[in-house]
Amino acid sequence: MMIDFVPDPSLYPFGSHWFDSSAGRVHYIDEGTGPTLLFCHGAPAWSFLYRHIVKGLRDRYRCVAVDNLGFGLSERPAGFGYTIAEHTTVLGQLIDHLQLDGFVLMGHDWGGPIGLGAATARADRVRGIVLGNTAFWPIEATANRAFSVLMGSPPMQRRILEQNFLVERVLLAELGSKLTAAEADHYRAVQPTAEARRGLAMTPKEIRAARPLLDQLARDVPAQLGDKPALLVWGMKDMVFRPHTSIPRMRAAFTDLDIVELPHARHFIQEHTPDVITAAIAKRFP
């Protein structure tokens, strides 16, 4: 299943590119020239989340932003399980296809584990790491695990599939007046039907189901990437990835770490403070 939606070029002024992975057809944008920045989104977003940052950096960098299978303009392939491990494999295939070398990875939400999983296997090709409001270790907080149980229940699965709950009541409920009506519709339009949202419905279940992968990342990220230059851009009002527990673990994992706190930002930092994030990336990785 492909998504029949054409983004407004005034909001998403990028050319579309496609990669036929082993699992399905992946949509991505590839803008600008220079050192490569690879942007990885989480749920329930897509590469549209990075539009301001890409526009702000493509005059100096090559900016690649990916839509995971089941998200954005990418395919909804039959037989794909939409697990974090499967997304990681597909991203790794795209990195190899594009022959990315000396790249800086930015991961947010599930884009953190997905991106880091692909990067740890290619650590010699990674220049640096940017992380925002994410985790690469098992999610132990009671509230987060309760969210996973609740969202995985049959009634909430129906609401995710039939009412687009994660877009309407999570992303758009947080961002409110930050977005224009047209911008909000770009998040809705790429998840138009229950069938299209099957991948989206899997993401809260993975908080618990992806524990083996997250256990492995908790070991591999410090070992394989811990000495890379790293940058945290952290929404300090995020109620999911709380700074007082998340930031110390990041400090322990990376030996060369800069931290930029975003005091008024919640979870979707790319919408709250894109200019601050853009400037932080340019300063850290000139």
Side-chain angles (χ1 to χ4, degrees):
M1 175 186 179
M2 298 299 294
I3 299 301
D4 184 19
F5 172 67
V6 178
D8 183 341
S10 70
L11 298 178
Y12 189 78
F14 314 123
S16 287
H17 298 265
W18 303 91
F19 167 59
D20 290 319
S21 77
S22 64
R25 199 168 192 223
V26 176
H27 174 264
Y28 66 97
I29 59 173
D30 191 342
E31 297 283 317
T33 58
T36 301
L37 306 173
L38 175 62
F39 297 102
C40 300
H41 71 83
W46 59 294
S47 57
F48 187 75
L49 182 69
Y50 285 105
R51 68 196 180 282
H52 298 305
I53 295 171
V54 171
K55 285 189 289 185
L57 292 172
R58 63 181 172 178
D59 63 331
R60 291 159 282 173
Y61 300 86
R62 179 187 180 187
C63 298
V64 178
V66 185
D67 292 347
N68 297 327
L69 291 174
F71 294 80
L73 302 179
S74 286
E75 187 179 0
R76 276 66 172 165
F80 190 66
Y82 300 104
T83 66
I84 302 307
E86 288 170 296
H87 287 308
T88 299
T89 296
V90 170
L91 178 64
Q93 292 175 0
L94 177 62
I95 292 170
D96 294 344
H97 170 73
L98 295 177
Q99 299 181 332
L100 300 186
D101 198 9
F103 66 92
V104 173
L105 168 78
M106 179 172 181
H108 172 261
D109 191 86
W110 278 122
I114 293 167
L116 290 167
T120 53
R122 298 160 180 82
D124 59 329
R125 293 157 58 185
V126 176
R127 178 188 175 196
I129 302 293
V130 182
L131 297 174
N133 297 74
T134 186
F136 53 83
W137 51 80
I139 308 300
E140 303 288 5
T142 301
N144 293 347
R145 294 181 67 80
F147 176 82
S148 177
V149 172
L150 176 63
M151 291 296 113
S153 68
M156 291 308 300
Q157 286 283 292
R158 285 194 295 272
R159 291 187 70 181
I160 293 169
L161 292 170
E162 297 172 8
Q163 301 174 28
N164 208 9
F165 179 87
L166 292 180
V167 171
E168 297 290 348
R169 302 304 306 157
V170 176
L171 186 148
L172 297 181
E174 172 181 321
L175 294 174
S177 61
K178 291 279 182 184
L179 301 178
T180 66
E183 287 172 322
D185 284 343
H186 275 61
Y187 285 111
R188 296 184 177 104
V190 295
Q191 298 288 1
T193 65
E195 183 182 2
R197 299 171 194 145
R198 288 187 300 114
L200 188 56
M202 275 295 297
T203 55
K205 297 180 182 180
E206 285 290 282
I207 293 172
R208 292 174 297 144
R211 184 182 182 107
L213 178 145
L214 294 170
D215 272 329
Q216 188 66 46
L217 282 179
R219 297 188 294 270
D220 288 351
V221 170
Q224 303 296 328
L225 302 172
D227 61 349
K228 304 287 184 181
L231 170 67
L232 290 191
V233 280
W234 212 267
M236 301 299 284
K237 291 190 175 181
D238 191 344
M239 300 303 290
V240 178
F241 299 102
R242 295 174 181 262
H244 71 280
T245 55
S246 299
I247 292 177
R249 292 202 68 164
M250 296 288 183
R251 286 188 188 276
F254 296 99
T255 60
D256 182 10
L257 179 66
D258 286 354
I259 300 174
V260 175
E261 296 182 359
L262 309 171
H264 305 296
R266 294 174 64 186
H267 182 65
F268 296 101
I269 56 174
Q270 300 92 330
E271 295 286 7
H272 289 290
T273 58
D275 293 344
V276 177
I277 297 168
T278 299
I281 293 172
K283 180 181 179 182
R284 185 69 168 115
F285 300 101

